[in-house]
PDB file of all heavy atoms in Angstrom:
ATOM      1  N   LYS A  63     123.214 118.355  81.620  1.00  0.00           N
ATOM      2  CA  LYS A  63     123.486 119.798  81.793  1.00  0.00           C
ATOM      3  C   LYS A  63     123.294 120.198  83.265  1.00  0.00           C
ATOM      4  O   LYS A  63     124.132 120.918  83.843  1.00  0.00           O
ATOM      5  CB  LYS A  63     122.508 120.606  80.922  1.00  0.00           C
ATOM      6  CG  LYS A  63     123.108 121.111  79.629  1.00  0.00           C
ATOM      7  CD  LYS A  63     123.650 122.508  79.840  1.00  0.00           C
ATOM      8  CE  LYS A  63     124.797 122.912  78.960  1.00  0.00           C
ATOM      9  NZ  LYS A  63     124.742 122.596  77.573  1.00  0.00           N
ATOM     10  N   MET A  65     123.422 118.338  85.934  1.00  0.00           N
ATOM     11  CA  MET A  65     124.451 117.743  86.812  1.00  0.00           C
ATOM     12  C   MET A  65     125.793 118.468  86.643  1.00  0.00           C
ATOM     13  O   MET A  65     126.486 118.740  87.631  1.00  0.00           O
ATOM     14  CB  MET A  65     124.603 116.251  86.495  1.00  0.00           C
ATOM     15  CG  MET A  65     123.412 115.424  86.944  1.00  0.00           C
ATOM     16  SD  MET A  65     123.678 113.650  86.831  1.00  0.00           S
ATOM     17  CE  MET A  65     123.890 113.423  85.093  1.00  0.00           C
ATOM     18  N   THR A  71     128.231 114.302  89.508  1.00  0.00           N
ATOM     19  CA  THR A  71     128.261 113.298  88.434  1.00  0.00           C
ATOM     20  C   THR A  71     127.055 112.378  88.631  1.00  0.00           C
ATOM     21  O   THR A  71     126.403 112.406  89.679  1.00  0.00           O
ATOM     22  CB  THR A  71     129.533 112.430  88.507  1.00  0.00           C
ATOM     23  OG1 THR A  71     129.449 111.628  89.699  1.00  0.00           O
ATOM     24  CG2 THR A  71     130.789 113.277  88.542  1.00  0.00           C
ATOM     25  N   ILE A  79     113.535 111.501  90.145  1.00  0.00           N
ATOM     26  CA  ILE A  79     112.082 111.697  90.036  1.00  0.00           C
ATOM     27  C   ILE A  79     111.812 112.188  88.610  1.00  0.00           C
ATOM     28  O   ILE A  79     112.391 113.193  88.179  1.00  0.00           O
ATOM     29  CB  ILE A  79     111.544 112.718  91.053  1.00  0.00           C
ATOM     30  CG1 ILE A  79     112.063 112.392  92.475  1.00  0.00           C
ATOM     31  CG2 ILE A  79     110.021 112.719  91.042  1.00  0.00           C
ATOM     32  CD1 ILE A  79     111.638 113.391  93.536  1.00  0.00           C
ATOM     33  N   ALA A  99     120.548 104.653  81.470  1.00  0.00           N
ATOM     34  CA  ALA A  99     121.279 105.441  80.467  1.00  0.00           C
ATOM     35  C   ALA A  99     122.477 106.159  81.080  1.00  0.00           C
ATOM     36  O   ALA A  99     123.515 106.298  80.426  1.00  0.00           O
ATOM     37  CB  ALA A  99     120.330 106.456  79.830  1.00  0.00           C
ATOM     38  N   VAL A 110     106.339 110.378  88.161  1.00  0.00           N
ATOM     39  CA  VAL A 110     105.223 111.209  88.611  1.00  0.00           C
ATOM     40  C   VAL A 110     104.279 111.430  87.437  1.00  0.00           C
ATOM     41  O   VAL A 110     104.716 111.792  86.350  1.00  0.00           O
ATOM     42  CB  VAL A 110     105.765 112.559  89.153  1.00  0.00           C
ATOM     43  CG1 VAL A 110     104.663 113.584  89.318  1.00  0.00           C
ATOM     44  CG2 VAL A 110     106.487 112.339  90.482  1.00  0.00           C
ATOM     45  N   LEU A 121     109.076 118.287  92.205  1.00  0.00           N
ATOM     46  CA  LEU A 121     109.951 119.167  92.992  1.00  0.00           C
ATOM     47  C   LEU A 121     109.575 119.094  94.468  1.00  0.00           C
ATOM     48  O   LEU A 121     110.447 119.039  95.348  1.00  0.00           O
ATOM     49  CB  LEU A 121     109.782 120.609  92.484  1.00  0.00           C
ATOM     50  CG  LEU A 121     110.767 121.644  92.990  1.00  0.00           C
ATOM     51  CD1 LEU A 121     112.118 121.470  92.299  1.00  0.00           C
ATOM     52  CD2 LEU A 121     110.246 123.057  92.716  1.00  0.00           C
ATOM     53  N   PHE A 127     112.294 114.865 100.611  1.00  0.00           N
ATOM     54  CA  PHE A 127     113.386 113.903 100.824  1.00  0.00           C
ATOM     55  C   PHE A 127     114.685 114.601 101.252  1.00  0.00           C
ATOM     56  O   PHE A 127     115.441 114.087 102.065  1.00  0.00           O
ATOM     57  CB  PHE A 127     113.653 113.097  99.546  1.00  0.00           C
ATOM     58  CG  PHE A 127     112.739 111.921  99.348  1.00  0.00           C
ATOM     59  CD1 PHE A 127     112.073 111.733  98.147  1.00  0.00           C
ATOM     60  CD2 PHE A 127     112.566 110.970 100.346  1.00  0.00           C
ATOM     61  CE1 PHE A 127     111.245 110.635  97.941  1.00  0.00           C
ATOM     62  CE2 PHE A 127     111.737 109.865 100.149  1.00  0.00           C
ATOM     63  CZ  PHE A 127     111.072 109.697  98.944  1.00  0.00           C
ATOM     64  N   SER A 141     109.887 115.808  81.154  1.00  0.00           N
ATOM     65  CA  SER A 141     110.185 115.630  79.728  1.00  0.00           C
ATOM     66  C   SER A 141     108.955 115.124  78.993  1.00  0.00           C
ATOM     67  O   SER A 141     108.168 114.351  79.553  1.00  0.00           O
ATOM     68  CB  SER A 141     111.344 114.626  79.577  1.00  0.00           C
ATOM     69  OG  SER A 141     111.640 114.424  78.203  1.00  0.00           O
ATOM     70  N   PHE A 146     104.581 112.405  69.216  1.00  0.00           N
ATOM     71  CA  PHE A 146     104.377 110.998  68.882  1.00  0.00           C
ATOM     72  C   PHE A 146     102.910 110.590  69.037  1.00  0.00           C
ATOM     73  O   PHE A 146     102.478 109.627  68.418  1.00  0.00           O
ATOM     74  CB  PHE A 146     105.252 110.123  69.795  1.00  0.00           C
ATOM     75  CG  PHE A 146     105.305 108.692  69.366  1.00  0.00           C
ATOM     76  CD1 PHE A 146     106.021 108.325  68.242  1.00  0.00           C
ATOM     77  CD2 PHE A 146     104.621 107.722  70.070  1.00  0.00           C
ATOM     78  CE1 PHE A 146     106.074 107.007  67.839  1.00  0.00           C
ATOM     79  CE2 PHE A 146     104.666 106.393  69.676  1.00  0.00           C
ATOM     80  CZ  PHE A 146     105.396 106.036  68.544  1.00  0.00           C
ATOM     81  N   GLY A 147     102.149 111.327  69.854  1.00  0.00           N
ATOM     82  CA  GLY A 147     100.803 110.834  70.180  1.00  0.00           C
ATOM     83  C   GLY A 147      99.697 111.846  69.987  1.00  0.00           C
ATOM     84  O   GLY A 147      98.799 111.935  70.820  1.00  0.00           O
ATOM     85  N   PRO A 172     120.832 119.913  99.593  1.00  0.00           N
ATOM     86  CA  PRO A 172     120.583 120.739 100.783  1.00  0.00           C
ATOM     87  C   PRO A 172     121.219 122.124 100.586  1.00  0.00           C
ATOM     88  O   PRO A 172     122.337 122.223 100.072  1.00  0.00           O
ATOM     89  CB  PRO A 172     121.300 119.984 101.909  1.00  0.00           C
ATOM     90  CG  PRO A 172     121.508 118.603 101.396  1.00  0.00           C
ATOM     91  CD  PRO A 172     121.641 118.714  99.907  1.00  0.00           C
ATOM     92  N   THR A 183     106.001 124.592  98.970  1.00  0.00           N
ATOM     93  CA  THR A 183     105.286 124.115  97.775  1.00  0.00           C
ATOM     94  C   THR A 183     103.835 123.887  98.176  1.00  0.00           C
ATOM     95  O   THR A 183     103.545 123.567  99.338  1.00  0.00           O
ATOM     96  CB  THR A 183     105.884 122.800  97.232  1.00  0.00           C
ATOM     97  OG1 THR A 183     105.879 121.819  98.268  1.00  0.00           O
ATOM     98  CG2 THR A 183     107.292 122.989  96.717  1.00  0.00           C
ATOM     99  N   THR A 202      91.810 100.877  81.825  1.00  0.00           N
ATOM    100  CA  THR A 202      90.969  99.801  82.357  1.00  0.00           C
ATOM    101  C   THR A 202      89.488 100.142  82.349  1.00  0.00           C
ATOM    102  O   THR A 202      88.654  99.252  82.501  1.00  0.00           O
ATOM    103  CB  THR A 202      91.388  99.444  83.798  1.00  0.00           C
ATOM    104  OG1 THR A 202      91.334 100.633  84.587  1.00  0.00           O
ATOM    105  CG2 THR A 202      92.783  98.863  83.848  1.00  0.00           C
ATOM    106  N   PRO A 242      87.990 125.399  76.428  1.00  0.00           N
ATOM    107  CA  PRO A 242      87.411 126.547  77.144  1.00  0.00           C
ATOM    108  C   PRO A 242      87.194 126.271  78.644  1.00  0.00           C
ATOM    109  O   PRO A 242      87.423 127.147  79.472  1.00  0.00           O
ATOM    110  CB  PRO A 242      86.076 126.771  76.412  1.00  0.00           C
ATOM    111  CG  PRO A 242      86.322 126.252  75.024  1.00  0.00           C
ATOM    112  CD  PRO A 242      87.230 125.075  75.194  1.00  0.00           C
ATOM    113  N   ALA A 261     101.204 134.128 100.701  1.00  0.00           N
ATOM    114  CA  ALA A 261     100.653 134.316 102.050  1.00  0.00           C
ATOM    115  C   ALA A 261     101.364 133.415 103.062  1.00  0.00           C
ATOM    116  O   ALA A 261     101.640 133.844 104.186  1.00  0.00           O
ATOM    117  CB  ALA A 261      99.148 134.029 102.043  1.00  0.00           C
ATOM    118  N   ASN A 279      99.250 128.461  77.655  1.00  0.00           N
ATOM    119  CA  ASN A 279      98.638 129.397  76.718  1.00  0.00           C
ATOM    120  C   ASN A 279      99.098 130.783  77.157  1.00  0.00           C
ATOM    121  O   ASN A 279      98.966 131.138  78.332  1.00  0.00           O
ATOM    122  CB  ASN A 279      97.100 129.269  76.811  1.00  0.00           C
ATOM    123  CG  ASN A 279      96.393 130.152  75.808  1.00  0.00           C
ATOM    124  OD1 ASN A 279      96.816 131.263  75.535  1.00  0.00           O
ATOM    125  ND2 ASN A 279      95.293 129.651  75.264  1.00  0.00           N
ATOM    126  N   LEU A 292     101.598 142.185  88.021  1.00  0.00           N
ATOM    127  CA  LEU A 292     103.042 142.057  87.792  1.00  0.00           C
ATOM    128  C   LEU A 292     103.468 142.769  86.508  1.00  0.00           C
ATOM    129  O   LEU A 292     102.724 142.799  85.519  1.00  0.00           O
ATOM    130  CB  LEU A 292     103.433 140.578  87.699  1.00  0.00           C
ATOM    131  CG  LEU A 292     103.139 139.710  88.921  1.00  0.00           C
ATOM    132  CD1 LEU A 292     103.488 138.249  88.634  1.00  0.00           C
ATOM    133  CD2 LEU A 292     103.911 140.199  90.136  1.00  0.00           C
ATOM    134  N   CYS A 317     114.998 127.397  83.275  1.00  0.00           N
ATOM    135  CA  CYS A 317     116.382 127.300  82.796  1.00  0.00           C
ATOM    136  C   CYS A 317     116.696 128.449  81.838  1.00  0.00           C
ATOM    137  O   CYS A 317     117.728 129.108  81.960  1.00  0.00           O
ATOM    138  CB  CYS A 317     116.582 125.946  82.100  1.00  0.00           C
ATOM    139  SG  CYS A 317     118.259 125.695  81.536  1.00  0.00           S
TER     140      CYS A 317
END
Side-chain angles (χ1 to χ4, degrees):
K63 259 267 152 44
M65 289 189 296
T71 68
I79 311 177
V110 166
L121 190 75
F127 277 129
S141 179
F146 191 73
T183 56
T202 56
N279 183 323
L292 300 176
C317 182

